[in-house]
Amino acid sequence: MPVIPASACAKTILLGEHAVVYDEPAIALPVSNLRVSATIQPGIGLEPGTVIIKVPGLSLDTDLKSLPPQHPIAISIQATLDSLGIHEHPTFRLRLTNNFPLGAGLGGSAAIAVTIARGLSAFLGHPLGQAEVNAVAFRSEQSAHGNPSGIDNTVISLEKPIYFRRTHKEEIVKAGRMFSFLIANTGISKHTQDVVGDLAQKRIEDSEIQKIMHEIGQVSKEGRGAFTSGNLGKLGVLMNENQSLLEKLEVSSNELRNLIEAACSAGALGAKLTGGGRGGCILALIDEVKREAIEYALSAAGAKQIFAFEIGPQSAR
Ligand code: PMV
């Protein structure tokens, strides 16, 4: 059997994180230059049913039997086998690498799950389609996040910009022009599950929280129009509005605010945290001519890593 390569992209949430958990709409973008990659090789010389897993990015070097059954990687493997109707564990070596930080709000856990579903099903000779890959990754996300909206696994398995509502089928949205973005990492890793859990509790105690969630949903709705019509200025304003609402939800942090402030002062059209918050990354919408100045300002403000990506009309193809 040959060595099977597979990969999946990272994602950013343009508008609507957290509110999307409560069935408000959100817009998510794939980041195709940032990827998790896998190689799967036959487990020659291993005892039948043994699976060796190496993920340097998670400091993981183990065999499947030693992982807790609820570990997202164990779930991704099991869900892929279930999807294929395979009851006996195949013998293989899985190695996963990533060129973007995991646990930083860029959809690392969903990208790992999508990569495993794609790679393992291809290795077994029955490559799963997008919907099945998405379902595998959702199962894994449930174990990683507790109550995921499903936006991460959906945008990553499609690798296209989407307008997403939890109870509706996702819609692929076509950018009305080329949009340039910068992602800057605070270097503080965070646990989306904890932030989502805190908000769930607050929402029970304080009726204001649900109102804010709804306002975020309205921003996403407006944002869809700005995105598809290519209205750069309006999209930036909406990202800033979204950030103010995320501040009210108390999911931001000093480090995130510093990076947002630095990006905006250096000329970004809008900036906000992206993903679960309280650490992780910010997303800034920029004009290419200001890119160097904004990157410089972000570095000076303490960004640990900066990534650039673009989304244009062809990203929806
Ligand atoms: O932090 P990430 O990349 O897992 O993004 C989570 C997005 C949330 O809206 C906060 C949670 C969800 O499941 O939609």
Side-chain angles (χ1 to χ4, degrees):
M1 265 192 259
V3 176
I4 302 291
S7 75
C9 64
K11 70 98 221 302
T12 55
I13 296 184
L14 176 62
L15 297 167
E17 52 273 272
H18 287 295
V20 70
V21 173
Y22 299 97
D23 203 25
E24 295 293 340
I27 300 173
L29 309 175
V31 186
S32 292
N33 49 325
L34 301 185
R35 304 194 79 82
V36 168
S37 304
T39 50
I40 302 190
Q41 304 185 42
I44 296 162
L46 298 176
E47 238 180 73
T50 303
V51 177
I52 300 291
I53 300 168
K54 288 187 199 277
V55 191
L58 294 175
S59 306
L60 201 65
D61 184 351
T62 185
D63 70 313
L64 181 58
K65 285 197 190 86
S66 310
L67 275 188
Q70 288 314 310
H71 191 286
I73 290 183
I75 300 272
S76 300
I77 293 173
Q78 190 54 51
T80 302
L81 297 177
D82 291 349
S83 187
L84 294 168
I86 294 175
H87 303 295
E88 237 174 73
H89 261 283
T91 313
F92 60 95
R93 294 174 195 275
L94 166 69
R95 183 180 159 82
L96 292 168
T97 54
N98 47 289
N99 68 353
F100 67 94
L102 305 175
L106 300 178
S109 56
I112 287 177
V114 167
T115 306
I116 291 175
R118 284 180 180 155
L120 182 55
S121 62
F123 174 75
L124 296 170
H126 302 283
L128 293 174
Q130 183 270 329
E132 294 152 312
V133 166
N134 192 20
V136 166
F138 187 60
R139 258 180 74 182
S140 170
E141 285 288 274
Q142 283 175 313
S143 122
H145 283 207
N147 181 22
S149 63
I151 191 168
D152 284 16
N153 45 284
T154 304
V155 66
I156 289 171
S157 62
L158 282 165
E159 206 167 331
K160 292 182 171 127
I162 56 167
Y163 183 78
F164 182 90
R165 258 190 84 178
R166 196 171 183 159
T167 55
H168 293 56
K169 182 162 170 46
E170 74 283 350
E171 294 172 56
I172 292 166
V173 282
K174 187 171 171 184
R177 57 165 287 155
M178 192 62 92
F179 291 105
S180 299
F181 295 96
L182 289 176
I183 294 168
N185 188 8
T186 60
I188 296 167
S189 74
K190 42 98 232 172
H191 295 283
T192 300
Q193 186 167 9
D194 298 343
V195 189
V196 170
D198 279 2
L199 273 181
Q201 188 56 37
K202 275 199 189 171
R203 189 168 161 267
I204 295 169
E205 293 160 2
D206 181 357
S207 61
E208 198 52 35
I209 299 291
Q210 184 51 38
K211 273 196 215 147
I212 299 169
M213 298 285 189
H214 186 63
E215 285 176 53
I216 293 177
Q218 295 303 111
V219 170
S220 297
K221 269 190 197 163
E222 266 195 78
R224 178 192 181 143
F227 180 79
T228 56
S229 66
N231 191 336
L232 197 59
K234 174 84 181 167
L235 192 58
V237 168
L238 290 168
M239 287 173 72
N240 292 337
E241 271 179 34
N242 193 166
Q243 176 60 22
S244 305
L245 293 165
L246 288 162
E247 291 284 352
K248 286 194 193 166
L249 290 180
E250 297 179 348
V251 297
S252 192
S253 70
N254 285 337
E255 294 82 1
L256 287 163
R257 275 187 289 274
N258 279 347
L259 295 184
I260 290 167
E261 168 70 28
C264 291
S265 303
L269 295 146
K272 60 182 277 291
L273 67 85
T274 185
R278 298 215 181 126
C281 294
I282 69 140
L283 176 69
L285 177 63
I286 64 158
D287 186 336
E288 269 302 322
V289 294
K290 302 225 169 107
R291 176 163 152 183
E292 248 178 70
I294 298 169
E295 283 185 350
Y296 182 81
L298 284 168
S299 293
K304 298 291 179 285
Q305 287 156 307
I306 300 170
F307 305 103
F309 73 103
E310 290 185 334
I311 293 286
Q314 83 295 342
S315 309
R317 267 197 228 130

